[in-house]
Amino acid sequence: MSFGPDCFTPMSRLAGTCYYEGIMISQTAISHLVEKLGRSNVLHEKEDLLTLAFDATPGLNLLPDVVVYPTTTDHVLTAMGIAHREGLPLVPRGSGTGLSGGSVPAKGGMVLAMTRMNRILEIDEANLTATAETGVITLDLFNAVAEKGLFYPPDPGSQKISTLGGNVMEDAGGLRGLKYGVTRDYVMALKCVLPDGSIITTGGKSVKDVAGYSFKDLLVGSEGTLGIITEVTVKLIPPPQDKRTFLAYFDDIRVAGEAVSKIIAAKIIPSTMEIMDRATINCVEDYVKIGLPRQMAALLLIEVDGHPAMVAEDAEGVQKILKQVKATEVHVAKDADEAASLAAARRTALSALARVSPTTLLEDATVPRSRLAETFAEIGRLTEKYKLKVGTFGHAGDGNLHPTVLCDERDLDEMERAHAFYDELYEKVLAWGGTVSGEHGIGLAKKEYLARQIGEGGVRVMKRIKHAFDPEGILNPGKIFEDEDLSTRSYKEDGSRVSP
Amino acid sequence: MSFGPDCFTPMSRLAGTCYYEGIMISQTAISHLVEKLGRSNVLHEKEDLLTLAFDATPGLNLLPDVVVYPTTTDHVLTAMGIAHREGLPLVPRGSGTGLSGGSVPAKGGMVLAMTRMNRILEIDEANLTATAETGVITLDLFNAVAEKGLFYPPDPGSQKISTLGGNVMEDAGGLRGLKYGVTRDYVMALKCVLPDGSIITTGGKSVKDVAGYSFKDLLVGSEGTLGIITEVTVKLIPPPQDKRTFLAYFDDIRVAGEAVSKIIAAKIIPSTMEIMDRATINCVEDYVKIGLPRQMAALLLIEVDGHPAMVAEDAEGVQKILKQVKATEVHVAKDADEAASLAAARRTALSALARVSPTTLLEDATVPRSRLAETFAEIGRLTEKYKLKVGTFGHAGDGNLHPTVLCDERDLDEMERAHAFYDELYEKVLAWGGTVSGEHGIGLAKKEYLARQIGEGGVRVMKRIKHAFDPEGILNPGKIFEDEDLSTRSYKEDGSRVSP
C-alpha cells in the first residue's frame, strides 16, 4: 500500500491526489454482489471507479475497489456481509457534495452509492412527517412537501444536488439554520443497517422518545462510521406565511458582524443572515452578474419570515439596527423573484470563488455570534500576515463562516502559508469557545483540528463508541479520527477473511 | 446480598420496598470524602440515607451506602475516583422527581446529590444562552432568564422542584413541548466528568457544531449511566409576546383526541394541548376546587402563543375546529391569572390522582399524534377488561399520555391486572410506532419494555456504548438495561479494590 504523504492532514496541506493500493476485492465477492444487486448496480472497472473517487473537497482523490448502488435495505445488508467477509472498507456516499472528504474512500474498499434509493415513501400530513430513502435529493424532498403545504427547513448550500442521507450523516446546516436549526433538528427516525448485521429503526413519528440512549442523535453527524442509514423520517412544519429580504452593504466587515450581533440581541431571529466579503462579492458578481456593488467591504443577506404582522415588525427592527450601525446602503427585495435571485447568488459563493484559482481551500470555522466582529478582524489580520487571497462568506447569524483561501496547490510555499493561516485562526476560534466544524464535518480533512477541540480524551471516547458499533473497523475507516489500519487484512479466494 | 423479588420489573409489579445489601463502604473512603468535600457534604448514617433512597416512582426504595453533596466539579471527580477504587456504584441525583426510578440507588453505593451545585453562572444576552450548575431548580432558571426578557421553554410538570441536571439526564418534556420541544432541544453544552476521570466540555455557545460524534446528544437522556454532568449551557429564545388559553370540554374523550389531530393537521401549532380524563378532572377538582365540571369525559387545556396577530388567528382557528368536532363547551381564560391557574391545576394532576389510592402507577405511553383517538379508546377498553380505576392525563399534543392506575400494592391480584393492562396497552402503542417512554426515561421501572421496543440487538448496542464509557460499570448500574452485576465486588481495608 501507499499513501501520498499528505493525504490525511488539513486541506491546506493537501497537494495532489493519492491512491490507496492496499485492498483488492475477490472475484467471488464481485460475482456475489452482481448476483444479489444486479449487474447495473455493481461497478468495478477503473474508469467507472474514477468518478466516485472524490467529493467536493479539493485535493482528495482516492479510488475505491468497487462501487455498488443498493436499491433496497437488503442490498445494503448484503454489501455489509461481503465487506465483513472480505475485510473491505464500506464507504457510504450520497451525491458527493461533502466538504471534508467524508465520503472519499480513504482506504479503498466498497463505495455504497445511495443515490438510487431515492424514493419519497410517505408524506404524513396528520403527523407532519415525511419518510424517504436516503438517496433522495434534498430539494426534491423540500418541493414534494411544499406541494402539500408543508415545510422542510434544512437547506444546505448544495440542496439541489445533495442527498438527505448525506445531510443526516454530516448534520448539514444551511441558509435557514439561524431560525430553523440544522438537519439534526428535523430527524425523527432512521432505518439503519448496523455493522453487526442487524437492521434497526431508531426513533419514530412520536415527537417525544426517551427510551434508552438516543441512537438517532448519535448517528446524525456520524459521517457513515457507525451504520448505514437507508430511510429517514423527518419532521415537517407549517411554512412561513410571509418573508422579507434585504441586502445590506458595509464599508467595514466588522460593522456587518456588529449588525448581526445587535439584531440577535434585539431578540429578532431572522431566518437567514448570510455574509459575503468583498472578494466573494466580486467573484459572485463576475459569475452571476446581478449588479452587486464591487467596492463594498461586505454584504449581509437578511431574510425575516413568519406571520405577516411579525415579519413587518421584524423588518422594521432590522432596518432600524442597520441604520444605527451605519450600514452604507440597504436594499429591500421588491418581490419574491428578486429575493430568490439574491439567495441563489449567495448559494453560488463557493463555485464563484472556486472559478478564480486552481485550488480553493474552504474552512468551516464557527464562533459564538458575539465573536463575529472579532473573527472578521482576525481573518483580515491573518490574510495580511500570510499574504494570501481569502474570500469569506457564510452563515453569519450562526457564527458559521467559510473563510476560503484561493491558492494554487502547486505552490508549496503558498500552501504552507494557507495551513498556517487556518492553524492560527482555529487557535482563536477555539479560545473563543467556537468549533472547527459548524456544518461540514471532520471527515478526512480536519482530523488534526478535532483533537485540538475535544482533546485526546474526547477522541479516545469517540474511538470507543466507534468500536462499540463497528469492532472490525469496516465502516468508512480513516474518518473523524485515525482508526484501526485495515491494510494488514487479506482474504482467501473463497471470500472468507484471514484474521490478521 | 438480597433483592426483593420484584424490584426490577415494571412499576405495576413493584410491591413493597427492598434493600440492596451487597455493598459497604470502607471507613477509609468515608474519611477521604469528608476530608475532600467537608463533613456537612457527606452523609452516611442510616437515618440520613433513608431520605435519599427513593425518587417519585412508587414502590422503589433502595438504600445507598453513602450520600455526598458535591459543590464543585472537582468534588465530583473525587467521588468518581473513590467509587472506582472501592468498586462502589455512583448514582447522580437531582431533586428526585423522576418517575422511572432513574436516581434510585438500585445496587447501593454512593449517591451524588447535585442539589448544592445550584448556581446560575451566566446569562449571555448576546448569544442567547444561560449556563448553570446542574443542581439549579428548573423554575429558578426560567425566572432568572425571564428577568432579562428571555425564555427557557422546557417546563416539566415538576419544574418547581426538579433540577436542570435531572431534566437533562432524563430529557424531560413538559407542557410546552408541542411547540417548543423538550430539554434536548435546548442543551448547547455540557460539562461532564467521565468514568475514566477526564473532565470534558461537549458543545458550546456556537449554534452549530459537527466536530465528531455528538457526545452532548448521547449524554442527554442517558440517565446518569455515562457521565456525571456538572454544568449545562442552554439555548434561550425571545419569549412569546402574547398568549391565549382555552379549556375545551368533551362528552367523549375520543373526540378530544380527534380535536388535537385536526388542530395539528390545520397547521396550527399551539404551545400546549394537555388532556385530562374524567377521573383526573374529578381528582383535580377535589384537590384545587376551581369549578371544573365533573361530569365531562375529558378536557383539553390549549394555549396558543407568539406574535399577537398570529395568536389571534390561531385562537380563531382552534375555536373553529373545536366547534366542528362538537366540543361540549369552550371556555376562554379571561386573563393571565386565570390562564395561570388553569395550567397550575393541570400540573397538579399526578398529585391529585396520587391522593385517592394507596398506590399510583403512572405510565408514559407515547404515540404518533394521529393515533390519539385510538389510544384513548384502547385505554377505555383495557380499563374495563381489567376492572381497574385509571386516570389518564398528559401532553395530548405530543401524543404523550400518562395513563395512571389507581390501586393498592397490597392487593396482589389488582397489581397483576395493572401489569396486564400496561402490557397490553404497550403492545398496541408499539404496533402504532409509539414509544414506551416519552419523557420519563427507562430507569429501573421500564427495562422490560425497552427490549420490546428496540429489540435485543438495540439493547446490545446500548450495552456496548455503556461499556465504551464506563467499562467498570460504576455509573448508576442496573438502569435502562441489566448490566454487569457489582455484587461480587469487594475491597480491601486500604480502599483498594479486590478484582472479582
Side-chain angles (χ1 to χ4, degrees):
Chain A
M1 56 155 283
S2 70
F3 284 111
D6 294 315
C7 259
F8 304 119
T9 55
M11 272 179 270
S12 52
R13 284 242 174 95
L14 301 173
T17 58
C18 39
Y19 299 88
Y20 186 81
E21 292 164 5
I23 306 265
M24 291 188 314
I25 185 166
S26 72
Q27 203 48 53
T28 320
I30 299 273
S31 306
H32 193 174
L33 286 167
V34 167
E35 181 195 323
K36 293 284 187 182
L37 277 75
R39 187 162 302 278
S40 62
N41 289 326
V42 181
L43 306 180
H44 56 96
E45 301 298 335
K46 190 160 181 188
E47 51 275 29
D48 296 324
L49 302 180
L50 277 171
T51 62
L52 289 148
F54 48 82
D55 66 2
T57 317
L60 286 175
N61 194 344
L62 292 149
L63 271 188
D65 293 274
V66 61
V67 174
V68 302
Y69 289 87
T71 59
T72 67
T73 298
D74 275 349
H75 285 171
V76 174
L77 196 60
T78 298
M80 185 74 84
I82 291 173
H84 270 87
R85 278 204 301 281
E86 300 259 320
L88 269 186
L90 193 62
V91 183
R93 174 192 177 90
S95 297
T97 57
L99 287 161
S100 61
S103 62
V104 173
K107 305 199 172 183
M110 193 185 326
V111 161
L112 216 50
M114 304 301 288
T115 46
R116 295 181 190 170
M117 287 188 72
N118 60 359
R119 289 176 306 158
I120 295 172
L121 301 171
E122 184 193 51
I123 297 171
D124 180 342
E125 294 178 72
N127 287 305
L128 304 188
T129 63
T131 301
E133 293 178 332
T134 48
V136 72
I137 301 295
T138 315
L139 191 60
D140 289 350
L141 179 68
F142 175 89
N143 287 332
V145 306
E147 266 176 39
K148 308 266 184 189
L150 289 164
F151 184 39
Y152 174 66
D155 62 337
S158 56
Q159 62 177 1
K160 282 186 189 171
I161 322 167
S162 69
T163 63
L164 180 62
N167 295 170
V168 171
M169 283 295 98
E170 302 294 322
D171 189 16
L175 275 62
R176 284 190 282 257
L178 172 55
K179 178 169 177 178
Y180 293 104
V182 295
T183 303
R184 174 184 300 285
D185 301 310
Y186 294 86
V187 176
M188 294 193 70
L190 296 173
K191 186 169 185 176
C192 181
V193 179
L194 294 180
D196 68 5
S198 54
I199 298 174
I200 61 165
T201 296
T202 168
K205 288 183 187 174
S206 305
V207 295
K208 293 158 82 176
D209 184 5
V210 295
Y213 304 150
S214 180
F215 286 161
K216 171 172 76 80
D217 283 287
L218 186 58
L219 286 165
V220 173
S222 65
E223 308 198 27
T225 63
L226 301 179
I228 310 282
I229 56 167
T230 59
E231 289 176 22
V232 182
T233 298
V234 295
K235 179 169 97 169
L236 306 174
I237 61 175
Q241 298 153 271
D242 194 13
K243 188 165 84 168
R244 200 81 52 95
T245 304
F246 308 88
L247 274 187
Y249 299 105
F250 301 86
D251 288 331
D252 182 340
I253 193 165
R254 290 168 306 182
V255 178
E258 205 189 308
V260 168
S261 301
K262 281 201 179 237
I263 289 169
I264 301 286
K267 304 188 180 73
I268 299 168
I269 312 288
S271 54
T272 296
M273 284 205 276
E274 296 287 312
I275 197 157
M276 294 198 253
D277 71 353
R278 180 178 292 146
T280 312
I281 292 172
N282 278 280
C283 291
V284 167
E285 180 57 22
D286 286 341
Y287 193 32
V288 299
K289 299 186 177 58
I290 56 168
L292 299 175
R294 294 175 176 276
Q295 75 289 359
M296 293 294 173
L299 71 75
L300 282 178
L301 171 72
I302 303 176
E303 292 192 340
V304 291
D305 73 5
H307 187 280
M310 198 181 75
V311 166
E313 280 172 30
D314 284 354
E316 199 187 314
V318 165
Q319 282 177 298
K320 206 168 128 189
I321 289 165
L322 290 173
K323 204 168 170 183
Q324 245 174 42
V325 300
K326 301 196 170 50
T328 315
E329 196 193 317
V330 178
H331 172 77
V332 184
K334 63 179 188 298
D335 55 27
D337 282 350
E338 193 189 349
S341 89
L342 294 175
R346 156 60 189 90
R347 282 183 194 277
T348 68
L350 175 55
S351 318
L353 287 166
R355 289 168 73 233
V356 305
S357 66
T359 308
T360 318
L361 301 176
L362 174 81
E363 274 297 343
D364 191 25
T366 307
V367 293
R369 289 182 285 236
S370 61
R371 297 289 190 173
L372 266 179
E374 284 159 285
T375 307
F376 289 127
E378 184 67 5
I379 290 172
R381 187 183 75 78
L382 293 171
T383 302
E384 269 187 43
K385 176 174 173 184
Y386 291 108
K387 300 182 179 55
L388 291 164
K389 193 167 180 193
V390 176
T392 298
F393 64 98
H395 317 292
D398 301 326
N400 181 200
L401 301 178
H402 302 311
T404 304
V405 177
L406 310 176
C407 52
D408 185 338
E409 66 192 17
R410 292 159 302 186
D411 181 344
L412 294 182
D413 179 67
E414 190 182 46
M415 296 300 280
E416 273 308 317
R417 281 182 280 125
H419 183 65
F421 168 91
Y422 286 128
D423 225 50
E424 206 170 325
L425 177 61
Y426 274 131
E427 206 173 294
K428 278 278 167 53
V429 164
L430 292 176
W432 289 332
T435 171
V436 301
S437 185
E439 58 177 8
H440 296 165
I442 298 297
L444 268 181
K446 308 180 64 152
K447 289 192 285 191
E448 193 181 281
Y449 295 142
L450 177 67
R452 283 167 59 180
Q453 178 170 332
I454 66 167
E456 290 302 330
V459 174
R460 209 163 45 235
V461 180
M462 283 191 192
K463 286 183 181 178
R464 291 205 298 258
I465 292 173
K466 164 74 175 174
H467 190 77
F469 276 79
D470 182 22
E472 309 281 321
I474 290 292
L475 279 184
N476 210 2
K479 304 301 167 62
I480 306 180
F481 39 72
E482 279 310 322
D483 50 13
E484 190 199 351
D485 191 341
L486 294 173
S487 62
T488 55
R489 288 187 179 171
S490 57
Y491 58 90
K492 300 185 208 157
E493 259 315 297
D494 67 356
S496 68
R497 197 181 136 205
V498 179
S499 298
Chain B
M1 57 156 283
S2 69
F3 284 111
D6 294 316
C7 260
F8 304 118
T9 53
M11 274 180 270
S12 51
R13 284 242 174 96
L14 301 173
T17 58
C18 40
Y19 297 89
Y20 186 83
E21 293 163 7
I23 306 266
M24 290 188 317
I25 185 165
S26 72
Q27 203 46 55
T28 321
I30 299 273
S31 306
H32 192 173
L33 284 167
V34 168
E35 180 195 324
K36 293 284 187 182
L37 277 72
R39 188 162 302 277
S40 63
N41 289 326
V42 181
L43 306 180
H44 55 96
E45 301 299 335
K46 190 161 180 186
E47 50 275 32
D48 296 324
L49 301 180
L50 277 171
T51 62
L52 289 147
F54 47 82
D55 65 3
T57 317
L60 285 175
N61 194 344
L62 292 149
L63 270 189
D65 293 275
V66 63
V67 174
V68 302
Y69 290 87
T71 61
T72 67
T73 299
D74 275 349
H75 285 171
V76 175
L77 197 59
T78 297
M80 185 74 83
I82 290 173
H84 269 88
R85 278 204 302 281
E86 300 259 321
L88 268 186
L90 192 62
V91 183
R93 176 191 175 90
S95 297
T97 57
L99 289 161
S100 61
S103 62
V104 172
K107 305 199 173 184
M110 192 185 327
V111 160
L112 215 52
M114 304 301 288
T115 46
R116 295 182 190 170
M117 289 189 72
N118 60 0
R119 289 176 306 159
I120 294 171
L121 302 171
E122 184 194 51
I123 297 171
D124 180 341
E125 295 178 73
N127 288 306
L128 304 188
T129 64
T131 300
E133 293 178 332
T134 48
V136 71
I137 302 293
T138 315
L139 191 61
D140 289 350
L141 179 69
F142 175 89
N143 287 332
V145 306
E147 266 177 38
K148 308 268 183 186
L150 289 165
F151 184 41
Y152 175 65
D155 62 337
S158 56
Q159 63 177 1
K160 281 185 189 172
I161 323 166
S162 69
T163 63
L164 181 61
N167 295 169
V168 172
M169 282 295 98
E170 301 295 322
D171 189 15
L175 275 62
R176 282 190 283 259
L178 172 55
K179 178 171 177 177
Y180 292 104
V182 294
T183 303
R184 175 185 300 285
D185 300 309
Y186 294 86
V187 176
M188 294 192 71
L190 297 172
K191 187 171 185 174
C192 181
V193 179
L194 295 181
D196 68 3
S198 54
I199 298 175
I200 61 164
T201 296
T202 167
K205 289 184 187 174
S206 305
V207 293
K208 292 157 83 177
D209 184 4
V210 294
Y213 304 148
S214 180
F215 286 161
K216 173 171 72 81
D217 284 287
L218 185 58
L219 286 164
V220 173
S222 64
E223 308 197 27
T225 62
L226 301 179
I228 309 282
I229 56 168
T230 59
E231 287 176 23
V232 182
T233 298
V234 296
K235 178 170 97 171
L236 306 173
I237 61 175
Q241 299 152 271
D242 195 14
K243 189 165 84 169
R244 199 84 51 94
T245 303
F246 308 88
L247 275 187
Y249 299 106
F250 301 85
D251 289 331
D252 181 339
I253 193 166
R254 290 168 304 181
V255 176
E258 203 189 310
V260 169
S261 301
K262 281 200 176 222
I263 289 169
I264 302 286
K267 304 188 181 73
I268 299 169
I269 311 288
S271 54
T272 295
M273 283 205 277
E274 296 287 311
I275 196 156
M276 293 199 255
D277 71 353
R278 181 178 291 146
T280 313
I281 291 171
N282 278 281
C283 291
V284 168
E285 181 57 22
D286 286 340
Y287 193 31
V288 299
K289 298 185 178 61
I290 56 170
L292 298 175
R294 294 174 176 278
Q295 74 289 1
M296 292 293 171
L299 71 75
L300 281 178
L301 171 72
I302 303 176
E303 291 192 342
V304 291
D305 72 5
H307 187 281
M310 198 181 76
V311 166
E313 280 172 29
D314 284 354
E316 200 188 314
V318 165
Q319 282 176 298
K320 206 169 129 190
I321 289 165
L322 290 173
K323 204 167 167 183
Q324 246 176 41
V325 299
K326 300 193 169 55
T328 314
E329 195 192 318
V330 178
H331 172 77
V332 184
K334 63 179 186 301
D335 54 27
D337 283 349
E338 193 190 348
S341 89
L342 293 175
R346 155 61 187 89
R347 282 183 194 278
T348 69
L350 175 55
S351 319
L353 287 167
R355 289 167 73 234
V356 304
S357 66
T359 308
T360 318
L361 301 176
L362 174 80
E363 275 296 342
D364 191 24
T366 307
V367 294
R369 288 182 287 235
S370 61
R371 297 287 191 175
L372 266 178
E374 283 159 286
T375 307
F376 289 127
E378 183 68 6
I379 290 173
R381 187 182 74 80
L382 293 172
T383 301
E384 270 187 42
K385 175 173 176 185
Y386 291 108
K387 300 183 177 54
L388 292 164
K389 192 166 180 196
V390 177
T392 297
F393 64 99
H395 317 291
D398 300 326
N400 181 199
L401 300 178
H402 301 311
T404 304
V405 177
L406 310 176
C407 51
D408 185 338
E409 64 191 18
R410 293 160 300 187
D411 180 344
L412 294 182
D413 179 66
E414 190 181 47
M415 295 302 277
E416 273 308 316
R417 281 181 280 126
H419 183 67
F421 168 90
Y422 286 128
D423 225 51
E424 204 170 329
L425 177 61
Y426 273 131
E427 204 173 295
K428 277 278 165 53
V429 164
L430 292 176
W432 289 332
T435 170
V436 301
S437 184
E439 58 178 8
H440 296 166
I442 297 298
L444 268 182
K446 306 178 65 150
K447 290 191 285 192
E448 191 181 283
Y449 296 142
L450 178 67
R452 281 167 59 179
Q453 179 170 332
I454 65 167
E456 290 303 331
V459 174
R460 208 163 47 234
V461 180
M462 283 191 191
K463 286 183 180 179
R464 291 205 300 258
I465 292 172
K466 164 75 174 173
H467 190 79
F469 276 78
D470 182 21
E472 309 282 320
I474 290 293
L475 279 184
N476 208 4
K479 306 299 166 64
I480 306 180
F481 38 73
E482 279 310 323
D483 49 11
E484 190 198 352
D485 191 341
L486 293 173
S487 61
T488 55
R489 288 187 179 170
S490 57
Y491 59 91
K492 300 184 208 156
E493 258 316 294
D494 66 357
S496 67
R497 196 180 136 204
V498 179
S499 297

